[in-house]
mmCIF file with all atom_site columns, all heavy atoms in Angstrom:
data_model
loop_
_atom_site.group_PDB
_atom_site.id
_atom_site.type_symbol
_atom_site.label_atom_id
_atom_site.label_alt_id
_atom_site.label_comp_id
_atom_site.label_asym_id
_atom_site.label_entity_id
_atom_site.label_seq_id
_atom_site.pdbx_PDB_ins_code
_atom_site.Cartn_x
_atom_site.Cartn_y
_atom_site.Cartn_z
_atom_site.occupancy
_atom_site.B_iso_or_equiv
_atom_site.pdbx_formal_charge
_atom_site.auth_seq_id
_atom_site.auth_comp_id
_atom_site.auth_asym_id
_atom_site.auth_atom_id
_atom_site.pdbx_PDB_model_num
ATOM 1   N N   . GLY T 1 1  ? -12.730 6.540  -34.916 1.00 0.00 ? 1  GLY T N   1
ATOM 2   C CA  . GLY T 1 1  ? -13.317 5.275  -35.341 1.00 0.00 ? 1  GLY T CA  1
ATOM 3   C C   . GLY T 1 1  ? -12.979 4.132  -34.416 1.00 0.00 ? 1  GLY T C   1
ATOM 4   O O   . GLY T 1 1  ? -12.706 4.319  -33.220 1.00 0.00 ? 1  GLY T O   1
ATOM 5   N N   . SER T 1 2  ? -12.963 2.929  -34.956 1.00 0.00 ? 2  SER T N   1
ATOM 6   C CA  . SER T 1 2  ? -12.831 1.723  -34.133 1.00 0.00 ? 2  SER T CA  1
ATOM 7   C C   . SER T 1 2  ? -11.415 1.477  -33.644 1.00 0.00 ? 2  SER T C   1
ATOM 8   O O   . SER T 1 2  ? -11.198 0.700  -32.715 1.00 0.00 ? 2  SER T O   1
ATOM 9   C CB  . SER T 1 2  ? -13.303 0.504  -34.935 1.00 0.00 ? 2  SER T CB  1
ATOM 10  O OG  . SER T 1 2  ? -12.536 0.353  -36.125 1.00 0.00 ? 2  SER T OG  1
ATOM 11  N N   . ARG T 1 3  ? -10.415 2.142  -34.247 1.00 0.00 ? 3  ARG T N   1
ATOM 12  C CA  . ARG T 1 3  ? -9.032  1.865  -33.882 1.00 0.00 ? 3  ARG T CA  1
ATOM 13  C C   . ARG T 1 3  ? -8.439  2.921  -32.958 1.00 0.00 ? 3  ARG T C   1
ATOM 14  O O   . ARG T 1 3  ? -7.879  2.599  -31.918 1.00 0.00 ? 3  ARG T O   1
ATOM 15  C CB  . ARG T 1 3  ? -8.185  1.741  -35.151 1.00 0.00 ? 3  ARG T CB  1
ATOM 16  C CG  . ARG T 1 3  ? -6.776  1.245  -34.865 1.00 0.00 ? 3  ARG T CG  1
ATOM 17  C CD  . ARG T 1 3  ? -5.984  1.024  -36.134 1.00 0.00 ? 3  ARG T CD  1
ATOM 18  N NE  . ARG T 1 3  ? -4.669  0.459  -35.844 1.00 0.00 ? 3  ARG T NE  1
ATOM 19  C CZ  . ARG T 1 3  ? -3.719  0.285  -36.750 1.00 0.00 ? 3  ARG T CZ  1
ATOM 20  N NH1 . ARG T 1 3  ? -3.938  0.627  -38.008 1.00 0.00 ? 3  ARG T NH1 1
ATOM 21  N NH2 . ARG T 1 3  ? -2.561  -0.231 -36.409 1.00 0.00 ? 3  ARG T NH2 1
ATOM 22  N N   . TRP T 1 4  ? -8.519  4.174  -33.332 1.00 0.00 ? 4  TRP T N   1
ATOM 23  C CA  . TRP T 1 4  ? -7.955  5.264  -32.539 1.00 0.00 ? 4  TRP T CA  1
ATOM 24  C C   . TRP T 1 4  ? -9.041  6.270  -32.214 1.00 0.00 ? 4  TRP T C   1
ATOM 25  O O   . TRP T 1 4  ? -9.760  6.738  -33.094 1.00 0.00 ? 4  TRP T O   1
ATOM 26  C CB  . TRP T 1 4  ? -6.837  5.983  -33.295 1.00 0.00 ? 4  TRP T CB  1
ATOM 27  C CG  . TRP T 1 4  ? -5.574  5.185  -33.457 1.00 0.00 ? 4  TRP T CG  1
ATOM 28  C CD1 . TRP T 1 4  ? -4.787  4.647  -32.473 1.00 0.00 ? 4  TRP T CD1 1
ATOM 29  C CD2 . TRP T 1 4  ? -4.944  4.830  -34.680 1.00 0.00 ? 4  TRP T CD2 1
ATOM 30  N NE1 . TRP T 1 4  ? -3.715  3.991  -33.012 1.00 0.00 ? 4  TRP T NE1 1
ATOM 31  C CE2 . TRP T 1 4  ? -3.782  4.090  -34.380 1.00 0.00 ? 4  TRP T CE2 1
ATOM 32  C CE3 . TRP T 1 4  ? -5.233  5.078  -36.028 1.00 0.00 ? 4  TRP T CE3 1
ATOM 33  C CZ2 . TRP T 1 4  ? -2.928  3.579  -35.340 1.00 0.00 ? 4  TRP T CZ2 1
ATOM 34  C CZ3 . TRP T 1 4  ? -4.390  4.572  -36.991 1.00 0.00 ? 4  TRP T CZ3 1
ATOM 35  C CH2 . TRP T 1 4  ? -3.256  3.834  -36.643 1.00 0.00 ? 4  TRP T CH2 1
ATOM 36  N N   . VAL T 1 5  ? -9.148  6.654  -30.961 1.00 0.00 ? 5  VAL T N   1
ATOM 37  C CA  . VAL T 1 5  ? -10.121 7.634  -30.455 1.00 0.00 ? 5  VAL T CA  1
ATOM 38  C C   . VAL T 1 5  ? -11.541 7.203  -30.820 1.00 0.00 ? 5  VAL T C   1
ATOM 39  O O   . VAL T 1 5  ? -12.224 7.792  -31.656 1.00 0.00 ? 5  VAL T O   1
ATOM 40  C CB  . VAL T 1 5  ? -9.833  9.055  -30.976 1.00 0.00 ? 5  VAL T CB  1
ATOM 41  C CG1 . VAL T 1 5  ? -10.630 10.080 -30.157 1.00 0.00 ? 5  VAL T CG1 1
ATOM 42  C CG2 . VAL T 1 5  ? -8.351  9.394  -30.909 1.00 0.00 ? 5  VAL T CG2 1
ATOM 43  N N   . ARG T 1 6  ? -11.940 6.124  -30.170 1.00 0.00 ? 6  ARG T N   1
ATOM 44  C CA  . ARG T 1 6  ? -13.292 5.612  -30.365 1.00 0.00 ? 6  ARG T CA  1
ATOM 45  C C   . ARG T 1 6  ? -14.320 6.628  -29.857 1.00 0.00 ? 6  ARG T C   1
ATOM 46  O O   . ARG T 1 6  ? -14.030 7.442  -28.998 1.00 0.00 ? 6  ARG T O   1
ATOM 47  C CB  . ARG T 1 6  ? -13.429 4.276  -29.619 1.00 0.00 ? 6  ARG T CB  1
ATOM 48  C CG  . ARG T 1 6  ? -12.635 3.146  -30.260 1.00 0.00 ? 6  ARG T CG  1
ATOM 49  C CD  . ARG T 1 6  ? -12.355 2.010  -29.300 1.00 0.00 ? 6  ARG T CD  1
ATOM 50  N NE  . ARG T 1 6  ? -11.322 2.373  -28.332 1.00 0.00 ? 6  ARG T NE  1
ATOM 51  C CZ  . ARG T 1 6  ? -10.843 1.525  -27.421 1.00 0.00 ? 6  ARG T CZ  1
ATOM 52  N NH1 . ARG T 1 6  ? -11.324 0.293  -27.341 1.00 0.00 ? 6  ARG T NH1 1
ATOM 53  N NH2 . ARG T 1 6  ? -9.898  1.917  -26.583 1.00 0.00 ? 6  ARG T NH2 1
ATOM 54  N N   . GLY T 1 7  ? -15.516 6.575  -30.408 1.00 0.00 ? 7  GLY T N   1
ATOM 55  C CA  . GLY T 1 7  ? -16.552 7.547  -30.064 1.00 0.00 ? 7  GLY T CA  1
ATOM 56  C C   . GLY T 1 7  ? -16.819 8.535  -31.175 1.00 0.00 ? 7  GLY T C   1
ATOM 57  O O   . GLY T 1 7  ? -17.759 9.325  -31.112 1.00 0.00 ? 7  GLY T O   1
ATOM 58  N N   . TYR T 1 8  ? -15.983 8.482  -32.228 1.00 0.00 ? 8  TYR T N   1
ATOM 59  C CA  . TYR T 1 8  ? -16.161 9.329  -33.406 1.00 0.00 ? 8  TYR T CA  1
ATOM 60  C C   . TYR T 1 8  ? -16.277 8.462  -34.651 1.00 0.00 ? 8  TYR T C   1
ATOM 61  O O   . TYR T 1 8  ? -15.830 7.312  -34.677 1.00 0.00 ? 8  TYR T O   1
ATOM 62  C CB  . TYR T 1 8  ? -14.976 10.288 -33.560 1.00 0.00 ? 8  TYR T CB  1
ATOM 63  C CG  . TYR T 1 8  ? -14.870 11.298 -32.449 1.00 0.00 ? 8  TYR T CG  1
ATOM 64  C CD1 . TYR T 1 8  ? -14.064 11.047 -31.333 1.00 0.00 ? 8  TYR T CD1 1
ATOM 65  C CD2 . TYR T 1 8  ? -15.572 12.486 -32.491 1.00 0.00 ? 8  TYR T CD2 1
ATOM 66  C CE1 . TYR T 1 8  ? -13.966 11.962 -30.296 1.00 0.00 ? 8  TYR T CE1 1
ATOM 67  C CE2 . TYR T 1 8  ? -15.475 13.416 -31.464 1.00 0.00 ? 8  TYR T CE2 1
ATOM 68  C CZ  . TYR T 1 8  ? -14.683 13.144 -30.373 1.00 0.00 ? 8  TYR T CZ  1
ATOM 69  O OH  . TYR T 1 8  ? -14.596 14.049 -29.350 1.00 0.00 ? 8  TYR T OH  1
ATOM 70  N N   . GLU T 1 9  ? -16.860 9.023  -35.698 1.00 0.00 ? 9  GLU T N   1
ATOM 71  C CA  . GLU T 1 9  ? -16.951 8.307  -36.958 1.00 0.00 ? 9  GLU T CA  1
ATOM 72  C C   . GLU T 1 9  ? -15.548 7.978  -37.478 1.00 0.00 ? 9  GLU T C   1
ATOM 73  O O   . GLU T 1 9  ? -14.580 8.666  -37.176 1.00 0.00 ? 9  GLU T O   1
ATOM 74  C CB  . GLU T 1 9  ? -17.701 9.138  -38.007 1.00 0.00 ? 9  GLU T CB  1
ATOM 75  C CG  . GLU T 1 9  ? -19.194 9.211  -37.792 1.00 0.00 ? 9  GLU T CG  1
ATOM 76  C CD  . GLU T 1 9  ? -19.910 7.892  -38.054 1.00 0.00 ? 9  GLU T CD  1
ATOM 77  O OE1 . GLU T 1 9  ? -19.281 6.973  -38.610 1.00 0.00 ? 9  GLU T OE1 1
ATOM 78  O OE2 . GLU T 1 9  ? -21.095 7.788  -37.697 1.00 0.00 ? 9  GLU T OE2 1
ATOM 79  N N   . GLU T 1 10 ? -15.485 6.945  -38.277 1.00 0.00 ? 10 GLU T N   1
ATOM 80  C CA  . GLU T 1 10 ? -14.203 6.477  -38.793 1.00 0.00 ? 10 GLU T CA  1
ATOM 81  C C   . GLU T 1 10 ? -13.469 7.605  -39.530 1.00 0.00 ? 10 GLU T C   1
ATOM 82  O O   . GLU T 1 10 ? -14.027 8.251  -40.418 1.00 0.00 ? 10 GLU T O   1
ATOM 83  C CB  . GLU T 1 10 ? -14.429 5.301  -39.746 1.00 0.00 ? 10 GLU T CB  1
ATOM 84  C CG  . GLU T 1 10 ? -13.261 4.371  -39.889 1.00 0.00 ? 10 GLU T CG  1
ATOM 85  C CD  . GLU T 1 10 ? -13.054 3.512  -38.642 1.00 0.00 ? 10 GLU T CD  1
ATOM 86  O OE1 . GLU T 1 10 ? -14.031 3.199  -37.934 1.00 0.00 ? 10 GLU T OE1 1
ATOM 87  O OE2 . GLU T 1 10 ? -11.886 3.162  -38.390 1.00 0.00 ? 10 GLU T OE2 1
ATOM 88  N N   . ASN T 1 11 ? -12.206 7.848  -39.127 1.00 0.00 ? 11 ASN T N   1
ATOM 89  C CA  . ASN T 1 11 ? -11.322 8.815  -39.784 1.00 0.00 ? 11 ASN T CA  1
ATOM 90  C C   . ASN T 1 11 ? -11.877 10.239 -39.797 1.00 0.00 ? 11 ASN T C   1
ATOM 91  O O   . ASN T 1 11 ? -11.547 11.029 -40.678 1.00 0.00 ? 11 ASN T O   1
ATOM 92  C CB  . ASN T 1 11 ? -11.026 8.378  -41.226 1.00 0.00 ? 11 ASN T CB  1
ATOM 93  C CG  . ASN T 1 11 ? -10.404 7.000  -41.297 1.00 0.00 ? 11 ASN T CG  1
ATOM 94  O OD1 . ASN T 1 11 ? -9.726  6.568  -40.361 1.00 0.00 ? 11 ASN T OD1 1
ATOM 95  N ND2 . ASN T 1 11 ? -10.629 6.304  -42.399 1.00 0.00 ? 11 ASN T ND2 1
ATOM 96  N N   . ASN T 1 12 ? -12.695 10.589 -38.802 1.00 0.00 ? 12 ASN T N   1
ATOM 97  C CA  . ASN T 1 12 ? -13.403 11.874 -38.853 1.00 0.00 ? 12 ASN T CA  1
ATOM 98  C C   . ASN T 1 12 ? -12.612 13.056 -38.322 1.00 0.00 ? 12 ASN T C   1
ATOM 99  O O   . ASN T 1 12 ? -12.860 14.199 -38.711 1.00 0.00 ? 12 ASN T O   1
ATOM 100 C CB  . ASN T 1 12 ? -14.720 11.752 -38.078 1.00 0.00 ? 12 ASN T CB  1
ATOM 101 C CG  . ASN T 1 12 ? -15.467 13.066 -37.965 1.00 0.00 ? 12 ASN T CG  1
ATOM 102 O OD1 . ASN T 1 12 ? -15.629 13.613 -36.879 1.00 0.00 ? 12 ASN T OD1 1
ATOM 103 N ND2 . ASN T 1 12 ? -15.917 13.597 -39.086 1.00 0.00 ? 12 ASN T ND2 1
ATOM 104 N N   . LEU T 1 13 ? -11.655 12.827 -37.451 1.00 0.00 ? 13 LEU T N   1
ATOM 105 C CA  . LEU T 1 13 ? -10.982 13.941 -36.786 1.00 0.00 ? 13 LEU T CA  1
ATOM 106 C C   . LEU T 1 13 ? -9.881  14.535 -37.658 1.00 0.00 ? 13 LEU T C   1
ATOM 107 O O   . LEU T 1 13 ? -9.426  13.934 -38.621 1.00 0.00 ? 13 LEU T O   1
ATOM 108 C CB  . LEU T 1 13 ? -10.402 13.476 -35.450 1.00 0.00 ? 13 LEU T CB  1
ATOM 109 C CG  . LEU T 1 13 ? -11.423 12.961 -34.440 1.00 0.00 ? 13 LEU T CG  1
ATOM 110 C CD1 . LEU T 1 13 ? -10.731 12.517 -33.158 1.00 0.00 ? 13 LEU T CD1 1
ATOM 111 C CD2 . LEU T 1 13 ? -12.485 14.004 -34.149 1.00 0.00 ? 13 LEU T CD2 1
ATOM 112 N N   . GLY T 1 14 ? -9.446  15.742 -37.282 1.00 0.00 ? 14 GLY T N   1
ATOM 113 C CA  . GLY T 1 14 ? -8.322  16.361 -37.970 1.00 0.00 ? 14 GLY T CA  1
ATOM 114 C C   . GLY T 1 14 ? -8.710  17.291 -39.096 1.00 0.00 ? 14 GLY T C   1
ATOM 115 O O   . GLY T 1 14 ? -9.858  17.731 -39.217 1.00 0.00 ? 14 GLY T O   1
ATOM 116 N N   . PRO T 1 15 ? -7.737  17.628 -39.959 1.00 0.00 ? 15 PRO T N   1
ATOM 117 C CA  . PRO T 1 15 ? -7.952  18.617 -41.023 1.00 0.00 ? 15 PRO T CA  1
ATOM 118 C C   . PRO T 1 15 ? -9.064  18.220 -41.988 1.00 0.00 ? 15 PRO T C   1
ATOM 119 O O   . PRO T 1 15 ? -9.314  17.037 -42.224 1.00 0.00 ? 15 PRO T O   1
ATOM 120 C CB  . PRO T 1 15 ? -6.596  18.640 -41.737 1.00 0.00 ? 15 PRO T CB  1
ATOM 121 C CG  . PRO T 1 15 ? -5.615  18.151 -40.733 1.00 0.00 ? 15 PRO T CG  1
ATOM 122 C CD  . PRO T 1 15 ? -6.351  17.147 -39.912 1.00 0.00 ? 15 PRO T CD  1
ATOM 123 N N   . LYS T 1 16 ? -9.704  19.228 -42.545 1.00 0.00 ? 16 LYS T N   1
ATOM 124 C CA  . LYS T 1 16 ? -10.751 19.040 -43.549 1.00 0.00 ? 16 LYS T CA  1
ATOM 125 C C   . LYS T 1 16 ? -10.306 19.669 -44.864 1.00 0.00 ? 16 LYS T C   1
ATOM 126 O O   . LYS T 1 16 ? -9.577  20.660 -44.886 1.00 0.00 ? 16 LYS T O   1
ATOM 127 C CB  . LYS T 1 16 ? -12.057 19.686 -43.080 1.00 0.00 ? 16 LYS T CB  1
ATOM 128 C CG  . LYS T 1 16 ? -12.579 19.164 -41.742 1.00 0.00 ? 16 LYS T CG  1
ATOM 129 C CD  . LYS T 1 16 ? -12.954 17.699 -41.817 1.00 0.00 ? 16 LYS T CD  1
ATOM 130 C CE  . LYS T 1 16 ? -13.647 17.221 -40.534 1.00 0.00 ? 16 LYS T CE  1
ATOM 131 N NZ  . LYS T 1 16 ? -12.712 17.025 -39.412 1.00 0.00 ? 16 LYS T NZ  1
ATOM 132 N N   . ASP T 1 17 ? -10.758 19.094 -45.977 1.00 0.00 ? 17 ASP T N   1
ATOM 133 C CA  . ASP T 1 17 ? -10.405 19.648 -47.286 1.00 0.00 ? 17 ASP T CA  1
ATOM 134 C C   . ASP T 1 17 ? -11.400 20.737 -47.678 1.00 0.00 ? 17 ASP T C   1
ATOM 135 O O   . ASP T 1 17 ? -12.252 21.149 -46.884 1.00 0.00 ? 17 ASP T O   1
ATOM 136 C CB  . ASP T 1 17 ? -10.310 18.537 -48.338 1.00 0.00 ? 17 ASP T CB  1
ATOM 137 C CG  . ASP T 1 17 ? -11.639 17.818 -48.578 1.00 0.00 ? 17 ASP T CG  1
ATOM 138 O OD1 . ASP T 1 17 ? -12.713 18.403 -48.290 1.00 0.00 ? 17 ASP T OD1 1
ATOM 139 O OD2 . ASP T 1 17 ? -11.613 16.672 -49.049 1.00 0.00 ? 17 ASP T OD2 1
ATOM 140 N N   . SER T 1 18 ? -11.308 21.193 -48.918 1.00 0.00 ? 18 SER T N   1
ATOM 141 C CA  . SER T 1 18 ? -12.139 22.312 -49.376 1.00 0.00 ? 18 SER T CA  1
ATOM 142 C C   . SER T 1 18 ? -13.622 21.963 -49.454 1.00 0.00 ? 18 SER T C   1
ATOM 143 O O   . SER T 1 18 ? -14.460 22.855 -49.531 1.00 0.00 ? 18 SER T O   1
ATOM 144 C CB  . SER T 1 18 ? -11.661 22.782 -50.755 1.00 0.00 ? 18 SER T CB  1
ATOM 145 O OG  . SER T 1 18 ? -11.709 21.709 -51.685 1.00 0.00 ? 18 SER T OG  1
ATOM 146 N N   . THR T 1 19 ? -13.958 20.654 -49.418 1.00 0.00 ? 19 THR T N   1
ATOM 147 C CA  . THR T 1 19 ? -15.360 20.249 -49.438 1.00 0.00 ? 19 THR T CA  1
ATOM 148 C C   . THR T 1 19 ? -15.888 19.972 -48.037 1.00 0.00 ? 19 THR T C   1
ATOM 149 O O   . THR T 1 19 ? -17.052 19.634 -47.872 1.00 0.00 ? 19 THR T O   1
ATOM 150 C CB  . THR T 1 19 ? -15.547 18.974 -50.299 1.00 0.00 ? 19 THR T CB  1
ATOM 151 O OG1 . THR T 1 19 ? -14.910 17.866 -49.636 1.00 0.00 ? 19 THR T OG1 1
ATOM 152 C CG2 . THR T 1 19 ? -14.955 19.152 -51.683 1.00 0.00 ? 19 THR T CG2 1
ATOM 153 N N   . GLY T 1 20 ? -15.017 20.109 -47.035 1.00 0.00 ? 20 GLY T N   1
ATOM 154 C CA  . GLY T 1 20 ? -15.428 19.845 -45.668 1.00 0.00 ? 20 GLY T CA  1
ATOM 155 C C   . GLY T 1 20 ? -15.251 18.410 -45.230 1.00 0.00 ? 20 GLY T C   1
ATOM 156 O O   . GLY T 1 20 ? -15.597 18.061 -44.092 1.00 0.00 ? 20 GLY T O   1
ATOM 157 N N   . ARG T 1 21 ? -14.711 17.569 -46.108 1.00 0.00 ? 21 ARG T N   1
ATOM 158 C CA  . ARG T 1 21 ? -14.481 16.173 -45.748 1.00 0.00 ? 21 ARG T CA  1
ATOM 159 C C   . ARG T 1 21 ? -13.126 16.005 -45.065 1.00 0.00 ? 21 ARG T C   1
ATOM 160 O O   . ARG T 1 21 ? -12.218 16.811 -45.268 1.00 0.00 ? 21 ARG T O   1
ATOM 161 C CB  . ARG T 1 21 ? -14.561 15.264 -46.979 1.00 0.00 ? 21 ARG T CB  1
ATOM 162 C CG  . ARG T 1 21 ? -15.949 15.212 -47.623 1.00 0.00 ? 21 ARG T CG  1
ATOM 163 C CD  . ARG T 1 21 ? -15.990 14.160 -48.706 1.00 0.00 ? 21 ARG T CD  1
ATOM 164 N NE  . ARG T 1 21 ? -15.172 14.531 -49.845 1.00 0.00 ? 21 ARG T NE  1
ATOM 165 C CZ  . ARG T 1 21 ? -15.642 14.921 -51.024 1.00 0.00 ? 21 ARG T CZ  1
ATOM 166 N NH1 . ARG T 1 21 ? -16.941 15.033 -51.197 1.00 0.00 ? 21 ARG T NH1 1
ATOM 167 N NH2 . ARG T 1 21 ? -14.819 15.216 -52.019 1.00 0.00 ? 21 ARG T NH2 1
ATOM 168 N N   . SER T 1 22 ? -13.002 14.936 -44.296 1.00 0.00 ? 22 SER T N   1
ATOM 169 C CA  . SER T 1 22 ? -11.743 14.660 -43.601 1.00 0.00 ? 22 SER T CA  1
ATOM 170 C C   . SER T 1 22 ? -10.624 14.447 -44.614 1.00 0.00 ? 22 SER T C   1
ATOM 171 O O   . SER T 1 22 ? -10.799 13.748 -45.615 1.00 0.00 ? 22 SER T O   1
ATOM 172 C CB  . SER T 1 22 ? -11.892 13.428 -42.720 1.00 0.00 ? 22 SER T CB  1
ATOM 173 O OG  . SER T 1 22 ? -12.823 13.651 -41.696 1.00 0.00 ? 22 SER T OG  1
ATOM 174 N N   . PHE T 1 23 ? -9.480  15.064 -44.322 1.00 0.00 ? 23 PHE T N   1
ATOM 175 C CA  . PHE T 1 23 ? -8.347  15.015 -45.242 1.00 0.00 ? 23 PHE T CA  1
ATOM 176 C C   . PHE T 1 23 ? -7.128  14.338 -44.624 1.00 0.00 ? 23 PHE T C   1
ATOM 177 O O   . PHE T 1 23 ? -6.151  14.063 -45.306 1.00 0.00 ? 23 PHE T O   1
ATOM 178 C CB  . PHE T 1 23 ? -7.968  16.445 -45.661 1.00 0.00 ? 23 PHE T CB  1
ATOM 179 C CG  . PHE T 1 23 ? -7.098  16.511 -46.882 1.00 0.00 ? 23 PHE T CG  1
ATOM 180 C CD1 . PHE T 1 23 ? -7.564  16.082 -48.111 1.00 0.00 ? 23 PHE T CD1 1
ATOM 181 C CD2 . PHE T 1 23 ? -5.807  17.012 -46.794 1.00 0.00 ? 23 PHE T CD2 1
ATOM 182 C CE1 . PHE T 1 23 ? -6.758  16.149 -49.249 1.00 0.00 ? 23 PHE T CE1 1
ATOM 183 C CE2 . PHE T 1 23 ? -4.991  17.083 -47.925 1.00 0.00 ? 23 PHE T CE2 1
ATOM 184 C CZ  . PHE T 1 23 ? -5.475  16.654 -49.152 1.00 0.00 ? 23 PHE T CZ  1
ATOM 185 N N   . GLY T 1 24 ? -7.189  14.043 -43.315 1.00 0.00 ? 24 GLY T N   1
ATOM 186 C CA  . GLY T 1 24 ? -6.038  13.448 -42.653 1.00 0.00 ? 24 GLY T CA  1
ATOM 187 C C   . GLY T 1 24 ? -4.902  14.444 -42.514 1.00 0.00 ? 24 GLY T C   1
ATOM 188 O O   . GLY T 1 24 ? -5.055  15.639 -42.778 1.00 0.00 ? 24 GLY T O   1
ATOM 189 N N   . GLY T 1 25 ? -3.756  13.955 -42.089 1.00 0.00 ? 25 GLY T N   1
ATOM 190 C CA  . GLY T 1 25 ? -2.616  14.830 -41.905 1.00 0.00 ? 25 GLY T CA  1
ATOM 191 C C   . GLY T 1 25 ? -1.320  14.051 -41.874 1.00 0.00 ? 25 GLY T C   1
ATOM 192 O O   . GLY T 1 25 ? -1.312  12.824 -41.902 1.00 0.00 ? 25 GLY T O   1
ATOM 193 N N   . ASN T 1 26 ? -0.231  14.769 -41.790 1.00 0.00 ? 26 ASN T N   1
ATOM 194 C CA  . ASN T 1 26 ? 1.085   14.131 -41.831 1.00 0.00 ? 26 ASN T CA  1
ATOM 195 C C   . ASN T 1 26 ? 1.653   13.839 -40.443 1.00 0.00 ? 26 ASN T C   1
ATOM 196 O O   . ASN T 1 26 ? 2.763   13.328 -40.324 1.00 0.00 ? 26 ASN T O   1
ATOM 197 C CB  . ASN T 1 26 ? 2.079   14.995 -42.614 1.00 0.00 ? 26 ASN T CB  1
ATOM 198 C CG  . ASN T 1 26 ? 2.444   16.264 -41.874 1.00 0.00 ? 26 ASN T CG  1
ATOM 199 O OD1 . ASN T 1 26 ? 1.563   17.021 -41.460 1.00 0.00 ? 26 ASN T OD1 1
ATOM 200 N ND2 . ASN T 1 26 ? 3.732   16.500 -41.686 1.00 0.00 ? 26 ASN T ND2 1
ATOM 201 N N   . ALA T 1 27 ? 0.894   14.155 -39.398 1.00 0.00 ? 27 ALA T N   1
ATOM 202 C CA  . ALA T 1 27 ? 1.346   13.868 -38.041 1.00 0.00 ? 27 ALA T CA  1
ATOM 203 C C   . ALA T 1 27 ? 0.158   13.416 -37.208 1.00 0.00 ? 27 ALA T C   1
ATOM 204 O O   . ALA T 1 27 ? -0.952  13.932 -37.351 1.00 0.00 ? 27 ALA T O   1
ATOM 205 C CB  . ALA T 1 27 ? 1.984   15.105 -37.405 1.00 0.00 ? 27 ALA T CB  1
ATOM 206 N N   . MET T 1 28 ? 0.391   12.437 -36.360 1.00 0.00 ? 28 MET T N   1
ATOM 207 C CA  . MET T 1 28 ? -0.688  11.956 -35.498 1.00 0.00 ? 28 MET T CA  1
ATOM 208 C C   . MET T 1 28 ? -0.133  11.561 -34.141 1.00 0.00 ? 28 MET T C   1
ATOM 209 O O   . MET T 1 28 ? 1.041   11.194 -33.991 1.00 0.00 ? 28 MET T O   1
ATOM 210 C CB  . MET T 1 28 ? -1.408  10.754 -36.110 1.00 0.00 ? 28 MET T CB  1
ATOM 211 C CG  . MET T 1 28 ? -0.600  9.468  -36.151 1.00 0.00 ? 28 MET T CG  1
ATOM 212 S SD  . MET T 1 28 ? -1.611  7.987  -36.389 1.00 0.00 ? 28 MET T SD  1
ATOM 213 C CE  . MET T 1 28 ? -2.362  7.841  -34.766 1.00 0.00 ? 28 MET T CE  1
ATOM 214 N N   . VAL T 1 29 ? -0.997  11.660 -33.128 1.00 0.00 ? 29 VAL T N   1
ATOM 215 C CA  . VAL T 1 29 ? -0.690  11.177 -31.797 1.00 0.00 ? 29 VAL T CA  1
ATOM 216 C C   . VAL T 1 29 ? -1.953  10.517 -31.259 1.00 0.00 ? 29 VAL T C   1
ATOM 217 O O   . VAL T 1 29 ? -3.056  11.040 -31.416 1.00 0.00 ? 29 VAL T O   1
ATOM 218 C CB  . VAL T 1 29 ? -0.226  12.327 -30.872 1.00 0.00 ? 29 VAL T CB  1
ATOM 219 C CG1 . VAL T 1 29 ? -1.260  13.448 -30.813 1.00 0.00 ? 29 VAL T CG1 1
ATOM 220 C CG2 . VAL T 1 29 ? 0.074   11.802 -29.481 1.00 0.00 ? 29 VAL T CG2 1
#
């Protein structure tokens, strides 16, 4: 999104939950 790793939808990267939506994670770089 607009803050980290621009060029992707907001909060789109990383793990996905059982519905396929972004779930975030406990570690980031």
Side-chain angles (χ1 to χ4, degrees):
S2 59
R3 189 176 184 187
W4 289 302
V5 194
R6 290 159 286 184
Y8 294 94
E9 286 290 349
E10 205 72 30
N11 302 332
N12 175 246
L13 299 180
K16 302 296 187 284
D17 63 23
S18 58
T19 68
R21 295 188 291 252
S22 296
F23 197 64
N26 70 307
M28 70 162 286
V29 56

